Each structure stands twice: as structure tokens, then as C-alpha cells.
Amino acid sequence: MQLVLEKRAERSTTIALVSPLIAIGLTLITMSILFAILGKNPISALGVYFIDPLTDSYSLQEIAVKATPLVMIAIGLSFCYLANAWNIGAEGQFLIGAVCGSWLAVKTHGTDAGYWVLPAMLLLGAIGGALYALIPAICKVRFGASEILTSLMLVYVADLLLDYLVRGPWRDPKGFNFPTTAEFDPVATVPILIEGGRLHLGAVITLLVVVAGAVLLGKTIKGFEIRVVGAAPRAARFGGFNSNQLILLTFAISGALAGMAGIIEVAGPVGHLQPGISPGYGFTAIIVAFLGRLNPVGILIAGLFLALTFIGGEQAQIAMKIPLDVTKVFQGILLFYVLACDSLILYRFRLISSSPKVSSGAA
Amino acid sequence: MSDPTPFRLDAGATPLLQTIGLTKRYGNFLANDAVDIDIWPQQIHALLGENGAGKSTLVKTIYGLIQPSDGEMRWQGEKMVLSGPSEARARGIGMVFQHFSLFDNLTVAENVALGLDGKESFKDMSARLERVSNQYGLPLDPRREVWQLSVGERQRIEIVRALMQNPKFLILDEPTAVLTPQEADQLFIVLERLKAEGRAILYISHKLEEVKRLCDTATILRGGKKVSTCNPKAETAASLARMMVGTEIKEVKAAAGRETTVPRLVVNDLNLEPDDPHGVRLKHISLELKGGEILGIAGVAGNGQDELFAALSGERLAQDPGTVIIDGIAAGHLSITQRRKLGAAFVPEERLGHGTAPRMKLSENALLTGHAASGMVHRGFVKLAAMLSTVDRATETFDVRKAKRDPEAASLSGGNLQKFIVGREILRDPAVLVVSQPTWGVDAGAAAVIRQALLDLAARGAAVLVTSQDLDELAEITDRIAVMFHGHLSEPLSTAQATREKLGLLMGGSSLEDREAPHAVSA
């Protein structure tokens, strides 16, 4: 008997839905082994990671807060990936969006500016992120530079720019020399949804982005163009769709969403601009996008799940002294399994009996 | 190493190669179902069948590329199990594939060396290559690089490479598909000679006239099963076709009294640089195509047909708007979408990946070309109902067979997908239809439907431009035929006057005037 990988006639919708679950299952098994090696009880470790955060309202809110930027960034990334444009630099676009929006908050700090400040900040964040994302896109279209490398490298540029600003020109004079801007004014802060909680308006905006993303992809000709360019570039050209234009468009959209997520994070949960505003949201969002099947609703679910790993990881560190980096290991293993399981959508395993064994004496 | 020398075999009781109940199963699908075939020395044996009949599977099994699921093969009466093509070659089985496996940037000798087992020095091998190629009238310069050679010359490399191993049995997969009629004639002389030397040849082809002329025996496959083994010389092309298809093929009929109207597609002195280094430059191409007319473009593949299609469709733009005129409007600078809005429609050669996105549904593939002008898009939103209705109408009008209402394009068979693609364009009632290889790799039944659809479209007043390598197809449906060679397009001949001989000369790059002039030098 022999196990072969066989191409399916048509992609399997069932597997497309089930594959992320298989991937999660395999990840949990691998993690259990890892916990056992670390000398922790796998069952209680997984419990702390995945069950405990779901049992109190503080953690539940915290999951939604963490999922907000993840989902918003991942929706944008999914457009890029569907169009075969590989934006790896959402982290940088997130930071630049935060910087651009914060500029207005810093400039209006202490003035009696009205309620227009926050919407204007969000707009600036989106524009900043989009323009920053267009740098690798233009290099790709104009010079053929690999967008994977350029977008990734620009993450570090953004990181250093933010660092410079909060240590230099934008530093809070009353901030005891800490590298941070002054706390944003109330009109420059994202409102809280539940009194006393942490859940903020950004979660609502993210839900609107999910709906808009689903409509754009499924119901509009632009969404169709994005999908065709990625799935069959030559057919897309025959259809009259310009792939370069779509690379620019998808990078701009994903940059705008990452930038907006950045400024919402700064003007919301953080409250001021400082280094380390992102625990790698821009990179984790790549996993969210793929785990969610590059589908807006899938991304919403995947974003909540990945947010759970952040919260669970923090609790496991406190409760079981498991290093926080294990969360990153977990996310990496998960992406690996998701991509591996995806081959089952187009292929299937089949057990076949090997060709009849005959003695070669006949020759 | 010895030169291929004639050898004798007692052509008495045992066949050279015999397959007994040979079966190949893919899942539940039987690609070959208990096929028995006997190959005798000193015979040219035709293997006939439509696409998907199992011809390729059978020869790949015989050449050791595929392991059979059941049944056995006997070589000179003894049981043979092949674990790979090198074992087949060691026994004396050679194969020339339809798609050449040559490295463009290597020389002829280097390419041949790569296919041999390499015990002799490169110098000896080169000398032997030259000797073998001259001996069989297949002249080749071992030092030329492959990219400089014509398709016919490339095929010679493949044949000589096979002959250098002195095969007892040679398999040729559709060798004349890429040749001009004259080149094909030369190939037949070589094959007759190989036969006279006592070798056996298995000859796969679609071209029934060719098989009748060349082959001694024919085995016909249909749906993986052997239908019959017969003497093709005693059959008619129609009776062979009937065995291949299983039913009578509907004859394609041109509507009587088709009248030509005003020019609907005009090309004026079109010149275009290729966008890739091995492409063909289009030189001074001019043509005029009236409504109600079908113009055929013949030519060996790779002489600029793809480039011409790209220039006509607008996948590549010309500098000067006046070089392409669609229905009286200069369109050389317009995109493919804008040209579609002018009433033009296009069907490319490659069905999967060019004409359709393989992993997308038919409705989405209807949108692919229909978004320009079929009411499928309203204010940026797509209308699924309109897309599905196009799929349904194409299904009904052109008898597209599929498992469900809206499957993925890749799940359809070649013929059914081509009917869908042609149908999708024809349902838009185009003023101009540019179609490339309309029936390439399509079963005979579907081919007849498609050809009839093109004739009917012209009868309704459209101008139809058909590029095809199948001269029979062009003879059947066109009014005039022009030939492409090295990026030039010849003056069109009226189809009635376009004999195979004349077309063959043009396809080989000679001009008719030279040949007819008294001082012409003989080739």
C-alpha cells in the first residue's frame, strides 16, 4: 500500500472550511508536546491558554481590543494576497499611520480644538499608511523590485522614525524624559464603548470594515478584478484588467487599513504615542489573513482566535511561568500548518495498492 | 557504439510488442481499459482516438513512464515490466514527444548528449549525430543553438536523438501537428525508410488522410477501450472518424448566399516589436476583412500568430491608432475592454489560464469578458443573475456538458470548455470575432459545433478571423486564407484556389511568384 497525493477535479469547499480547524488541531498537539518538554502539564497549560481567557469579562473585552487591529490589518492584507501582491510590511504601515495621526494630536494638544480632531486623525492615519505602502508598490510596478523585501525593510524605517519622534521633537516636556508624547486630549481619543471597560469604538469600525470588505470582494467588479489577477494573471489581462494598477490599489487599501489600525491603537488603548505600541500586530495579521482563508468573515474569526493566544500567553506567563515567546512559537506553528493543510483543498490523500510486484526475471 | 544498422527479425509468430489487457486506473477513472495491441516489426501502426481516448496513457505505459494497474506487456514474446523510460530505451523502445524537451540556449549536440547515457566522448557523439542525421536525410548542424532553429528542425533533433539509440520500436506522438505539408512529406519518407529497415513504428495522429496514406495497421481507442484494429487503407476517413467518435459527425454547412458587406476589421501596416526576446516581430501586416466573411490565417506555430492575436485583441497596444480599425473606428491604441465595447470579441488559443481562469466558476468566467458590455455590471456591482443567464444560454445553445449549473472552468473537458468560451463570445453578437485555434485538442463532435457556430456568425454579418494550424479546418470554413511566416502575412488566397501545395510553400517561407517564375531555382 502506498499513500499518494492526488489532484482533485474541483477545489473542495468542505476542506476549504475545515482546513483551518485541522491546522489548529495539529498546532494544539504540537504545543502539548512542547509544553511537556518544558516540563508543564499540557492539559492545564492549554487550559490557561485557551479556556481561562474566555471565562471572565475583562479578558473577553481584552480579546476584542487585541482583535481589533489584527482584523482590520488582515482584511487589507487579504486584498493584497488575493491579487498576488505580497505586502509583508503592514507593521510599518501601522506605525506610520500611528505617527501621522499622532501629529495632529500633538499639534492640537492643549488647544480648544473641537470634535473634528479624532476623525481627522483617523483620516491622516489612513492616508499615511496608504502612502507608505505605495512606496514598495511603486518600486514593484516601476522597477520590478520584490515587494516582499522592500515592504519588510520599510518596517524598520518606520520603527526608527517613530523612535526618533518620541525621543526628540514630540517628547512630552513633562514626561520625566520617558520617550513618549503627552497623553492625548479627550477630543483626540477613541471613545470607550462600555463605561469602565477597555472596549472602544475601533471595534465597531473594524466590524464595518469586515462588512465592506466582504461586499467589495464578493459583489463588485473591483473585487473580481483583484481575485482574477491573483488566480490567473494572463486571463486577467485578457479580461482587460491592469495588474499593475491593482497592485497599487491593493497596497494602498491595505496600507490605509493598517495605518488606521495604528492610529486607533494609539488614540485608543494606548492613549499616547510611544515605542512598542504594537506587539507585532502587522506580522500576526499575516497569519490571521491566511487562517481566515483570505475571506473577511473568516478573518474576523481568525482574528479573535489569535487575539486569544496573546491574552492566553500573558496569563500563562503569570500563572505558569511559560515564556511569552511561546505565543510567537505557537503563531508560527499555526501558520505553517495552515499553509500545509491548504494543499488538501486542491489535492487529496489516497491509499493505493502498489503496482503488482512481479519478479524481474522475465527480462 | 554502432550506427543504426538494419536488423532482421523473424517476423513470424511473435509480435515485437504485445499488450494484453493493459489497464490504467486513476481513482475510479479508467484511462486504459484492457487494451490489447500487437506491434509487428516492419510496420507503421497508427494509434487513433479523440482527446481523452487514452492514447497518451497507453504510449506512456509502453515507454515506462506510467506503471499499468493491470494487464501485462510482452516484448518479443517475453513478459516485460518497466520501471522507467531508461529500461524501455535499453530494450530498444524510443519515443518522440509532441512537446519537445529541448533547451533553447544549448546546441543541437549538447541537447542530444543530455538525452543519451553518455559513455562515448562528446566529440564521437557529435560525429555520430551528424552521420545518423545525414544517413536518414534529416540534416542537422550539431553546433547550432536550438533557439535559432525552426520547429521542423527541432523535431529532427528529437527524431535523431531517438534514432541514435538504434531503436527497434519508435513511438511518434502527433509528429506532423507542427509541420508544413512539405515537411510532413519529408518525414513520411524517413518513416518509410525506418520501416524498410525492419523497425516498428507507432504513429499517433488525428489526421486521418495521413494515416490512410502512411500506416499499415490502425488501432482505434475510444473512452480508454480498444474499438477495433483495422487496415486504414481499406477504410474511408469518414468510417475511421465514426469509429473514433462512436457516432456520425454532423457535417458543417455554410449558409448559401452569404454576402460580404463593408470592411469591419482592417489592419494597416502593423509593426510590433516582441515583448520577450524569443518572440516574433510583426512586420508590415495588412489585411481587410468584410462583414460576412471568414478569413483564415495558416502557418506553422511560432511565426507570429500569438503576437498578432495580442495586437488585434489589445492585450498589446500599437503606437499608431490607425493600424487596427474595428468597424470604422481607429482602435490600435484602445485597450481590450474598449475594443470589446466597439463590438469585437476574442477567443485565445489557450483555454485554461488565458481564455478562462481555471479555478473560477463559469459565471465568473462569463464576467471575465462580459463585464465590458453585457449588462453584468451595474455601478461597479456585479449582477450574478446576468452572469448565470449567460452560462445557461451558452450551455443550451452550444450543448456544453457539465456536472452542475455553475462548475469551475477547469472541471470541464477541453471540448466543452471551448464550446463555452466560443459561446460566451458569440452570444454577445460581436461585429468582429478574432479566434485562435478554435478546435485545437477538441473532440470531433465539439469541433463541428464550433465550426458551424463560426459560419453562422459570419452569415449574420460579422467578420471572423480564424488562426489555425489545421488546413482542413481552414478549407472547410474560410473564404480566404493568408499565411504567416516569420512575422509577415502573405496576401490572402481565395480558399478555392489555396491548394495544400501552395499553402505549404507559403508556410515554408517561399513566395508563390518565385516558384512560378521560369528562372526559379529548384530547392
Side-chain angles (χ1 to χ4, degrees), chain A residues 17-63:
Chain A
L17 296 173
V18 173
S19 137
L21 300 180
I22 302 175
I24 289 173
L26 290 170
T27 308
L28 293 184
I29 294 170
T30 312
M31 287 303 286
S32 306
I33 296 170
L34 197 67
F35 287 136
I37 293 171
L38 287 173
K40 316 282 177 192
N41 178 353
I43 303 293
S44 53
L46 289 178
V48 171
Y49 248 90
F50 298 107
I51 309 296
D52 289 2
L54 298 174
T55 53
D56 68 294
S57 86
Y58 169 79
S59 296
L60 283 175
Q61 275 199 45
E62 207 52 29
I63 287 170

Short mmCIF file of all heavy atoms in Angstrom, two decimals, chain A residues 17-63:
data_model
loop_
_atom_site.label_atom_id
_atom_site.label_comp_id
_atom_site.label_asym_id
_atom_site.label_seq_id
_atom_site.Cartn_x
_atom_site.Cartn_y
_atom_site.Cartn_z
N LEU A 17 -13.16 24.93 4.30
CA LEU A 17 -13.67 25.37 5.59
C LEU A 17 -13.04 24.63 6.75
O LEU A 17 -12.79 25.19 7.81
CB LEU A 17 -15.20 25.20 5.63
CG LEU A 17 -15.96 26.07 4.63
CD1 LEU A 17 -17.44 25.71 4.62
CD2 LEU A 17 -15.78 27.55 4.95
N VAL A 18 -12.77 23.35 6.54
CA VAL A 18 -12.28 22.52 7.64
C VAL A 18 -10.77 22.66 7.84
O VAL A 18 -10.28 22.54 8.96
CB VAL A 18 -12.64 21.03 7.37
CG1 VAL A 18 -12.01 20.13 8.41
CG2 VAL A 18 -14.15 20.85 7.36
N SER A 19 -10.06 22.98 6.76
CA SER A 19 -8.60 23.00 6.83
C SER A 19 -8.04 23.86 7.98
O SER A 19 -7.11 23.43 8.67
CB SER A 19 -8.03 23.40 5.47
OG SER A 19 -6.99 24.30 5.58
N PRO A 20 -8.59 25.06 8.24
CA PRO A 20 -8.05 25.81 9.39
C PRO A 20 -8.26 25.08 10.71
O PRO A 20 -7.41 25.16 11.60
CB PRO A 20 -8.86 27.11 9.38
CG PRO A 20 -9.46 27.21 8.04
CD PRO A 20 -9.61 25.82 7.52
N LEU A 21 -9.36 24.34 10.81
CA LEU A 21 -9.62 23.60 12.05
C LEU A 21 -8.61 22.47 12.22
O LEU A 21 -8.10 22.23 13.32
CB LEU A 21 -11.05 23.06 12.05
CG LEU A 21 -12.14 24.13 11.94
CD1 LEU A 21 -13.52 23.50 11.93
CD2 LEU A 21 -12.02 25.13 13.09
N ILE A 22 -8.32 21.77 11.11
CA ILE A 22 -7.31 20.71 11.17
C ILE A 22 -5.98 21.33 11.60
O ILE A 22 -5.27 20.80 12.46
CB ILE A 22 -7.13 20.04 9.78
CG1 ILE A 22 -8.46 19.46 9.30
CG2 ILE A 22 -6.07 18.96 9.83
CD1 ILE A 22 -8.40 18.90 7.89
N ALA A 23 -5.68 22.49 11.01
CA ALA A 23 -4.42 23.15 11.33
C ALA A 23 -4.36 23.50 12.81
O ALA A 23 -3.34 23.29 13.48
CB ALA A 23 -4.26 24.41 10.48
N ILE A 24 -5.48 24.02 13.35
CA ILE A 24 -5.50 24.37 14.77
C ILE A 24 -5.31 23.11 15.61
O ILE A 24 -4.54 23.10 16.57
CB ILE A 24 -6.83 25.08 15.11
CG1 ILE A 24 -6.84 26.48 14.48
CG2 ILE A 24 -7.00 25.18 16.63
CD1 ILE A 24 -8.16 27.21 14.62
N GLY A 25 -5.98 22.03 15.22
CA GLY A 25 -5.84 20.77 15.95
C GLY A 25 -4.40 20.30 15.98
O GLY A 25 -3.85 19.97 17.04
N LEU A 26 -3.75 20.30 14.82
CA LEU A 26 -2.35 19.87 14.75
C LEU A 26 -1.46 20.79 15.59
O LEU A 26 -0.52 20.33 16.25
CB LEU A 26 -1.88 19.87 13.29
CG LEU A 26 -2.50 18.79 12.40
CD1 LEU A 26 -2.15 19.02 10.93
CD2 LEU A 26 -2.00 17.41 12.83
N THR A 27 -1.78 22.09 15.56
CA THR A 27 -0.98 23.04 16.35
C THR A 27 -1.10 22.72 17.84
O THR A 27 -0.11 22.74 18.57
CB THR A 27 -1.46 24.47 16.09
OG1 THR A 27 -1.49 24.68 14.68
CG2 THR A 27 -0.53 25.48 16.73
N LEU A 28 -2.32 22.42 18.28
CA LEU A 28 -2.54 22.12 19.70
C LEU A 28 -1.75 20.88 20.11
O LEU A 28 -1.15 20.84 21.19
CB LEU A 28 -4.03 21.93 19.98
CG LEU A 28 -4.88 23.20 19.82
CD1 LEU A 28 -6.32 22.93 20.21
CD2 LEU A 28 -4.32 24.35 20.64
N ILE A 29 -1.74 19.89 19.22
CA ILE A 29 -0.99 18.67 19.53
C ILE A 29 0.50 19.00 19.65
O ILE A 29 1.17 18.60 20.61
CB ILE A 29 -1.22 17.60 18.43
CG1 ILE A 29 -2.69 17.15 18.45
CG2 ILE A 29 -0.28 16.42 18.61
CD1 ILE A 29 -3.08 16.30 17.27
N THR A 30 1.00 19.76 18.68
CA THR A 30 2.42 20.12 18.71
C THR A 30 2.74 20.92 19.97
O THR A 30 3.77 20.71 20.62
CB THR A 30 2.77 20.96 17.46
OG1 THR A 30 2.25 20.31 16.33
CG2 THR A 30 4.27 21.12 17.33
N MET A 31 1.82 21.85 20.33
CA MET A 31 2.04 22.67 21.51
C MET A 31 2.07 21.81 22.78
O MET A 31 2.88 22.05 23.69
CB MET A 31 0.94 23.73 21.65
CG MET A 31 1.03 24.85 20.64
SD MET A 31 2.61 25.73 20.68
CE MET A 31 2.43 26.67 22.19
N SER A 32 1.20 20.81 22.83
CA SER A 32 1.17 19.93 24.00
C SER A 32 2.52 19.26 24.19
O SER A 32 3.04 19.17 25.30
CB SER A 32 0.09 18.85 23.83
OG SER A 32 -1.13 19.45 23.55
N ILE A 33 3.07 18.79 23.06
CA ILE A 33 4.38 18.14 23.13
C ILE A 33 5.42 19.15 23.65
O ILE A 33 6.25 18.85 24.52
CB ILE A 33 4.78 17.62 21.73
CG1 ILE A 33 3.79 16.53 21.30
CG2 ILE A 33 6.21 17.10 21.73
CD1 ILE A 33 3.92 16.11 19.86
N LEU A 34 5.31 20.39 23.12
CA LEU A 34 6.25 21.44 23.52
C LEU A 34 6.14 21.72 25.02
O LEU A 34 7.14 21.83 25.74
CB LEU A 34 5.95 22.69 22.70
CG LEU A 34 7.04 23.75 22.68
CD1 LEU A 34 8.26 23.23 21.94
CD2 LEU A 34 6.52 25.01 21.97
N PHE A 35 4.89 21.83 25.52
CA PHE A 35 4.67 22.08 26.94
C PHE A 35 5.25 20.94 27.76
O PHE A 35 5.87 21.16 28.80
CB PHE A 35 3.17 22.24 27.25
CG PHE A 35 2.60 23.54 26.77
CD1 PHE A 35 1.38 23.60 26.12
CD2 PHE A 35 3.30 24.74 26.98
CE1 PHE A 35 0.85 24.79 25.69
CE2 PHE A 35 2.76 25.95 26.54
CZ PHE A 35 1.54 25.97 25.89
N ALA A 36 5.04 19.71 27.30
CA ALA A 36 5.54 18.55 28.03
C ALA A 36 7.06 18.62 28.12
O ALA A 36 7.64 18.35 29.18
CB ALA A 36 5.09 17.26 27.34
N ILE A 37 7.70 19.02 27.01
CA ILE A 37 9.16 19.14 27.01
C ILE A 37 9.60 20.21 28.00
O ILE A 37 10.61 20.08 28.69
CB ILE A 37 9.67 19.45 25.59
CG1 ILE A 37 9.42 18.25 24.67
CG2 ILE A 37 11.16 19.81 25.61
CD1 ILE A 37 9.68 18.52 23.22
N LEU A 38 8.81 21.31 28.08
CA LEU A 38 9.14 22.39 29.02
C LEU A 38 8.85 21.98 30.47
O LEU A 38 9.07 22.78 31.39
CB LEU A 38 8.33 23.64 28.67
CG LEU A 38 8.75 24.42 27.42
CD1 LEU A 38 7.74 25.52 27.12
CD2 LEU A 38 10.14 25.00 27.57
N GLY A 39 8.29 20.78 30.65
CA GLY A 39 8.01 20.29 31.99
C GLY A 39 6.70 20.80 32.57
O GLY A 39 6.51 20.82 33.78
N LYS A 40 5.81 21.29 31.71
CA LYS A 40 4.49 21.74 32.20
C LYS A 40 3.45 20.69 31.83
O LYS A 40 3.60 19.99 30.82
CB LYS A 40 4.09 23.07 31.55
CG LYS A 40 5.19 24.09 31.49
CD LYS A 40 5.41 24.77 32.83
CE LYS A 40 6.58 25.75 32.74
NZ LYS A 40 7.02 26.22 34.04
N ASN A 41 2.40 20.66 32.59
CA ASN A 41 1.30 19.76 32.25
C ASN A 41 0.56 20.31 31.03
O ASN A 41 -0.01 21.40 31.11
CB ASN A 41 0.36 19.65 33.46
CG ASN A 41 -0.83 18.76 33.15
OD1 ASN A 41 -1.02 18.33 32.01
ND2 ASN A 41 -1.63 18.50 34.18
N PRO A 42 0.57 19.58 29.92
CA PRO A 42 -0.03 20.11 28.68
C PRO A 42 -1.49 20.50 28.85
O PRO A 42 -1.91 21.55 28.35
CB PRO A 42 0.11 18.96 27.69
CG PRO A 42 1.20 18.11 28.21
CD PRO A 42 1.19 18.27 29.71
N ILE A 43 -2.24 19.68 29.55
CA ILE A 43 -3.67 19.95 29.67
C ILE A 43 -3.91 21.27 30.39
O ILE A 43 -4.64 22.14 29.91
CB ILE A 43 -4.39 18.80 30.44
CG1 ILE A 43 -4.16 17.45 29.74
CG2 ILE A 43 -5.88 19.11 30.57
CD1 ILE A 43 -4.79 17.32 28.39
N SER A 44 -3.23 21.46 31.54
CA SER A 44 -3.50 22.70 32.27
C SER A 44 -2.91 23.89 31.53
O SER A 44 -3.47 25.00 31.56
CB SER A 44 -2.97 22.60 33.70
OG SER A 44 -1.61 22.22 33.68
N ALA A 45 -1.79 23.69 30.81
CA ALA A 45 -1.21 24.78 30.04
C ALA A 45 -2.18 25.23 28.96
O ALA A 45 -2.45 26.44 28.79
CB ALA A 45 0.11 24.35 29.41
N LEU A 46 -2.73 24.28 28.21
CA LEU A 46 -3.69 24.63 27.16
C LEU A 46 -4.93 25.27 27.77
O LEU A 46 -5.52 26.17 27.17
CB LEU A 46 -4.07 23.38 26.34
CG LEU A 46 -2.96 22.84 25.43
CD1 LEU A 46 -3.44 21.58 24.70
CD2 LEU A 46 -2.51 23.88 24.43
N GLY A 47 -5.29 24.79 28.96
CA GLY A 47 -6.44 25.38 29.65
C GLY A 47 -6.21 26.86 29.94
O GLY A 47 -7.06 27.70 29.68
N VAL A 48 -5.02 27.16 30.48
CA VAL A 48 -4.71 28.56 30.78
C VAL A 48 -4.70 29.39 29.49
O VAL A 48 -5.17 30.52 29.45
CB VAL A 48 -3.35 28.65 31.51
CG1 VAL A 48 -2.91 30.10 31.64
CG2 VAL A 48 -3.44 27.98 32.87
N TYR A 49 -4.16 28.79 28.44
CA TYR A 49 -4.04 29.50 27.17
C TYR A 49 -5.41 29.78 26.53
O TYR A 49 -5.68 30.90 26.11
CB TYR A 49 -3.23 28.65 26.18
CG TYR A 49 -1.89 29.27 25.84
CD1 TYR A 49 -0.75 28.97 26.60
CD2 TYR A 49 -1.76 30.14 24.77
CE1 TYR A 49 0.47 29.52 26.30
CE2 TYR A 49 -0.53 30.70 24.47
CZ TYR A 49 0.58 30.39 25.22
OH TYR A 49 1.78 30.94 24.92
N PHE A 50 -6.24 28.76 26.45
CA PHE A 50 -7.41 28.87 25.58
C PHE A 50 -8.75 28.89 26.30
O PHE A 50 -9.74 29.26 25.72
CB PHE A 50 -7.41 27.74 24.54
CG PHE A 50 -6.22 27.79 23.64
CD1 PHE A 50 -5.19 26.89 23.77
CD2 PHE A 50 -6.11 28.81 22.69
CE1 PHE A 50 -4.08 26.97 22.96
CE2 PHE A 50 -5.01 28.88 21.88
CZ PHE A 50 -3.98 27.96 22.01
N ILE A 51 -8.79 28.45 27.53
CA ILE A 51 -10.09 28.39 28.21
C ILE A 51 -10.24 29.54 29.20
O ILE A 51 -11.21 30.29 29.17
CB ILE A 51 -10.29 27.04 28.95
CG1 ILE A 51 -10.00 25.86 28.01
CG2 ILE A 51 -11.70 26.95 29.52
CD1 ILE A 51 -10.94 25.73 26.83
N ASP A 52 -9.22 29.74 30.05
CA ASP A 52 -9.33 30.75 31.09
C ASP A 52 -9.71 32.14 30.57
O ASP A 52 -10.56 32.81 31.15
CB ASP A 52 -8.01 30.83 31.90
CG ASP A 52 -7.84 29.58 32.77
OD1 ASP A 52 -8.71 28.70 32.68
OD2 ASP A 52 -6.83 29.50 33.51
N PRO A 53 -9.08 32.59 29.44
CA PRO A 53 -9.41 33.94 28.98
C PRO A 53 -10.87 34.08 28.60
O PRO A 53 -11.39 35.21 28.55
CB PRO A 53 -8.53 34.13 27.74
CG PRO A 53 -7.42 33.16 27.89
CD PRO A 53 -8.00 31.99 28.62
N LEU A 54 -11.55 32.98 28.31
CA LEU A 54 -12.94 33.07 27.86
C LEU A 54 -13.89 33.12 29.05
O LEU A 54 -15.11 33.19 28.87
CB LEU A 54 -13.29 31.86 26.98
CG LEU A 54 -12.47 31.74 25.68
CD1 LEU A 54 -12.80 30.45 24.96
CD2 LEU A 54 -12.76 32.94 24.78
N THR A 55 -13.37 33.05 30.29
CA THR A 55 -14.26 32.90 31.44
C THR A 55 -14.49 34.19 32.22
O THR A 55 -15.35 34.23 33.08
CB THR A 55 -13.72 31.83 32.40
OG1 THR A 55 -12.36 32.18 32.69
CG2 THR A 55 -13.78 30.45 31.79
N ASP A 56 -13.73 35.26 31.94
CA ASP A 56 -14.07 36.49 32.66
C ASP A 56 -14.21 37.66 31.68
O ASP A 56 -13.60 37.67 30.60
CB ASP A 56 -13.04 36.80 33.75
CG ASP A 56 -11.70 37.16 33.17
OD1 ASP A 56 -11.09 36.25 32.55
OD2 ASP A 56 -11.30 38.32 33.29
N SER A 57 -15.03 38.63 32.06
CA SER A 57 -15.42 39.68 31.11
C SER A 57 -14.24 40.59 30.81
O SER A 57 -14.12 41.12 29.72
CB SER A 57 -16.60 40.48 31.66
OG SER A 57 -16.13 41.52 32.48
N TYR A 58 -13.30 40.72 31.76
CA TYR A 58 -12.14 41.56 31.47
C TYR A 58 -11.35 40.97 30.30
O TYR A 58 -11.01 41.65 29.34
CB TYR A 58 -11.24 41.67 32.70
CG TYR A 58 -9.91 42.31 32.37
CD1 TYR A 58 -9.80 43.69 32.24
CD2 TYR A 58 -8.78 41.52 32.14
CE1 TYR A 58 -8.59 44.27 31.88
CE2 TYR A 58 -7.56 42.10 31.79
CZ TYR A 58 -7.47 43.48 31.66
OH TYR A 58 -6.29 44.05 31.31
N SER A 59 -11.10 39.66 30.38
CA SER A 59 -10.32 39.02 29.32
C SER A 59 -11.07 39.04 27.99
O SER A 59 -10.48 39.22 26.93
CB SER A 59 -10.00 37.58 29.70
OG SER A 59 -9.18 37.56 30.84
N LEU A 60 -12.39 38.85 28.06
CA LEU A 60 -13.17 38.86 26.83
C LEU A 60 -13.04 40.21 26.13
O LEU A 60 -12.84 40.29 24.92
CB LEU A 60 -14.63 38.54 27.12
CG LEU A 60 -14.93 37.06 27.37
CD1 LEU A 60 -16.39 36.87 27.78
CD2 LEU A 60 -14.62 36.22 26.13
N GLN A 61 -13.17 41.29 26.93
CA GLN A 61 -13.01 42.62 26.35
C GLN A 61 -11.61 42.79 25.76
O GLN A 61 -11.42 43.34 24.69
CB GLN A 61 -13.21 43.69 27.43
CG GLN A 61 -14.65 44.06 27.63
CD GLN A 61 -14.77 45.40 28.34
OE1 GLN A 61 -14.09 46.37 28.00
NE2 GLN A 61 -15.64 45.44 29.32
N GLU A 62 -10.65 42.26 26.51
CA GLU A 62 -9.25 42.41 26.09
C GLU A 62 -9.01 41.68 24.76
O GLU A 62 -8.25 42.15 23.91
CB GLU A 62 -8.36 41.84 27.21
CG GLU A 62 -6.99 42.42 27.30
CD GLU A 62 -6.96 43.94 27.37
OE1 GLU A 62 -7.91 44.59 27.88
OE2 GLU A 62 -5.97 44.50 26.88
N ILE A 63 -9.70 40.53 24.62
CA ILE A 63 -9.58 39.80 23.34
C ILE A 63 -10.10 40.67 22.20
O ILE A 63 -9.46 40.81 21.16
CB ILE A 63 -10.36 38.46 23.41
CG1 ILE A 63 -9.61 37.48 24.30
CG2 ILE A 63 -10.54 37.88 22.02
CD1 ILE A 63 -10.40 36.23 24.62
#
